[in-house]
Amino acid sequence: MKLSQFKFHLPEELIAQYPARFRDDARLMVLHRKTGEIEHKTIPGLLDYFDEHDHFIFNDTKVFPARLYGTKERTGADIEVFLLRELNPKMRYWDVLVDPARKIRIGNKIFFGDDNTIVAEVIDNTTSRGRTLRFLTDYDNEEFRDHLFALGHTPLPKYIHRDLQHPDPRDAEDSERYQTIFAAKEGAVAVPATGLHFSKNILKRMEIKGIDWSFITSHVSLGNFKSIDVEDLSKHKMDSEEFEVSQQIVDTVERLHEEERHICAVGTDVMRALETVVGTNGHIKALSSWTNKFIIPPYDFTVANTMMANFYMPLSAQLMMVAAFGGYEYVMHAYEVAIKEQYKFGDYGDAMLIVD
């Protein structure tokens, strides 16, 4: 497959800037991957395609406030720091991205907060925008993280715009709405967006219908938003994401396969983790590790036979995985229909359910 095969024109006004009023208010397109048939529903309608003892697999990662704004020592220049991952809690080393990167060199210090009680020193360059920071503070580890995260902002993707000088009243809701209701294990810098559509009401209706669910953990990274700069997709390397698939999931999947039940992977992050743990014998195994698996058409999926996903950006790795699951021609046609029907795209956008 070529990168250009996933290019399409997405009108700016179809990129959702705010979530639906309620989590389960979003629209749902249903794509039948055997026929290409398309149906138009809303999120509650997804339960019509599942029966008692069918199973959903969610991602229980929790987004932390990864975007910080600081000032450079001496010059006072404004610097954006995006926390990626903690490298060494004791030494307070963090892997970050900085912007503008040209102003930040090894040895520079960045001050955070009105009272400058947290200071970071640049100790290494990792990529063009990547840096390793050592935070300098008198706080103990727990207090330090509390203060650091208190200074942080919700790490919305760049295509969601917020005017810090003239905030909209809805901006205050991001810390809650850019998080699933079952978020539990901190570590993501982007939300597993498809899970945002599930409200307490939807989960209760699933419970009443006898539909089960369980969780994997996949700490979503910025790799999902990284531009792919090679036309030949076989040469693209995904950024790694930390994940965990438990023995309970393994046992559940094996049983569901024997019973020929529907297994719905909720989001590309869940699908990637599940496919990562498939062994050469076709069975999955429990594993806590890192994955940089890049799934493009054609691909034979082993674990889930149903998938739910948001509508993704042109040329994105998420779109490529969805096309691999639903069929390239069917999915790209469905995206044409979505644009015509004014579906919303992105993390705060509408969803697609792909069924047989």
Side-chain angles (χ1 to χ4, degrees):
M1 299 295 290
K2 303 297 183 182
L3 177 65
S4 55
Q5 291 177 268
F6 296 92
K7 183 178 182 179
F8 61 91
H9 174 64
L10 177 62
E12 186 76 20
E13 63 270 19
L14 295 187
I15 301 176
Q17 297 298 304
Y18 292 94
R21 183 181 179 189
F22 300 107
R23 289 182 182 270
D24 53 15
D25 268 354
R27 298 169 69 189
L28 178 73
M29 176 186 288
V30 180
L31 172 63
H32 296 261
R33 61 175 178 163
K34 287 184 177 179
T35 64
E37 178 191 356
I38 290 173
E39 299 178 87
H40 302 286
K41 306 281 185 176
T42 55
I43 293 298
L46 73 90
L47 301 187
D48 295 340
Y49 299 88
F50 298 91
D51 298 316
E52 186 177 10
H53 301 310
D54 285 341
H55 201 93
F56 281 63
I57 301 179
F58 298 110
N59 184 358
D60 66 0
T61 189
K62 184 177 182 180
V63 180
F64 64 89
R67 182 170 280 118
L68 302 173
Y69 297 97
T71 56
K72 185 181 175 182
E73 183 183 31
R74 296 191 181 93
T75 68
D78 293 331
I79 304 296
E80 179 183 309
V81 173
F82 196 100
L83 303 172
L84 296 177
R85 64 178 65 92
E86 189 174 30
L87 301 175
N88 185 320
K90 184 177 181 181
M91 299 299 294
R92 294 169 187 168
Y93 290 168
W94 279 78
D95 185 17
V96 307
L97 297 176
V98 295
D99 189 26
R102 67 182 184 280
K103 295 184 177 181
I104 300 299
R105 299 180 175 87
I106 294 175
N108 289 159
K109 289 186 172 67
I110 305 172
F111 294 86
F112 300 95
D114 295 336
D115 53 4
N116 295 335
T117 53
I118 292 182
V119 183
E121 180 181 11
V122 181
I123 62 173
D124 195 14
N125 296 330
T126 55
T127 63
S128 59
R129 290 181 56 214
R131 303 289 186 271
T132 300
L133 298 187
R134 177 177 61 197
F135 284 92
L136 312 172
T137 176
D138 293 330
Y139 296 124
D140 62 32
N141 285 349
E142 186 173 343
E143 288 180 320
F144 163 67
R145 287 176 66 88
D146 289 344
H147 280 80
L148 184 68
F149 288 174
L151 294 172
H153 296 258
T154 303
L156 301 174
K158 289 293 188 179
Y159 58 71
I160 295 179
H161 307 294
R162 292 291 184 267
D163 185 346
L164 298 180
Q165 300 299 320
H166 306 91
D168 185 287
R170 292 173 294 176
D171 295 351
E173 299 175 0
D174 285 326
S175 59
E176 175 191 355
R177 294 300 302 274
Y178 197 71
Q179 196 86 266
T180 65
I181 64 170
F182 34 73
K185 299 177 182 178
E186 187 177 86
V189 296
V191 72
T194 312
L196 292 177
H197 299 295
F198 288 82
S199 62
K200 291 181 180 179
N201 178 55
I202 291 292
L203 293 183
K204 187 63 178 179
R205 291 181 59 184
M206 290 171 63
E207 181 182 346
I208 292 171
K209 194 169 182 178
I211 300 170
D212 303 315
W213 64 86
S214 55
F215 301 95
I216 60 99
T217 302
S218 182
H219 294 313
V220 185
S221 75
L222 285 187
N224 288 287
F225 304 101
K226 183 179 179 181
S227 297
I228 298 176
D229 53 10
V230 291
E231 175 67 4
D232 182 354
L233 294 178
S234 66
K235 297 180 179 179
H236 177 64
K237 303 297 182 185
M238 286 284 289
D239 290 349
S240 294
E241 292 182 352
E242 188 177 9
F243 77 94
E244 180 180 5
V245 175
S246 67
Q247 186 61 46
Q248 178 187 0
I249 289 284
V250 172
D251 296 340
T252 297
V253 167
E254 294 289 347
R255 175 178 56 80
L256 292 168
H257 280 173
E258 291 175 1
E259 297 175 358
E260 298 184 343
R261 300 291 183 185
H262 286 113
I263 302 174
C264 183
V266 181
T268 57
D269 39 286
V270 171
M271 187 68 85
R272 180 184 298 111
L274 293 174
E275 290 298 314
T276 297
V277 299
V278 176
T280 55
N281 61 358
H283 294 277
I284 68 172
K285 58 184 177 180
L287 186 64
S288 179
S289 186
W290 293 77
T291 179
N292 63 351
K293 194 173 186 67
F294 180 43
I295 298 176
I296 60 175
Y299 183 90
D300 292 326
F301 289 83
T302 300
V303 183
N305 49 30
T306 309
M307 181 181 190
M308 188 172 168
N310 273 31
F311 286 97
Y312 300 113
M313 299 296 112
L315 307 176
S316 64
Q318 299 106 312
L319 169 59
M320 295 169 191
M321 183 189 294
V322 172
F325 187 81
Y328 173 79
E329 290 80 9
Y330 287 159
V331 167
M332 297 309 290
H333 172 66
Y335 268 55
E336 291 178 6
V337 173
I339 292 172
K340 180 180 179 181
E341 296 294 329
Q342 301 285 291
Y343 277 76
K344 294 293 187 179
F345 284 64
D347 282 0
Y348 276 157
D350 295 316
M352 172 188 285
L353 176 69
I354 304 176
V355 297
D356 285 337

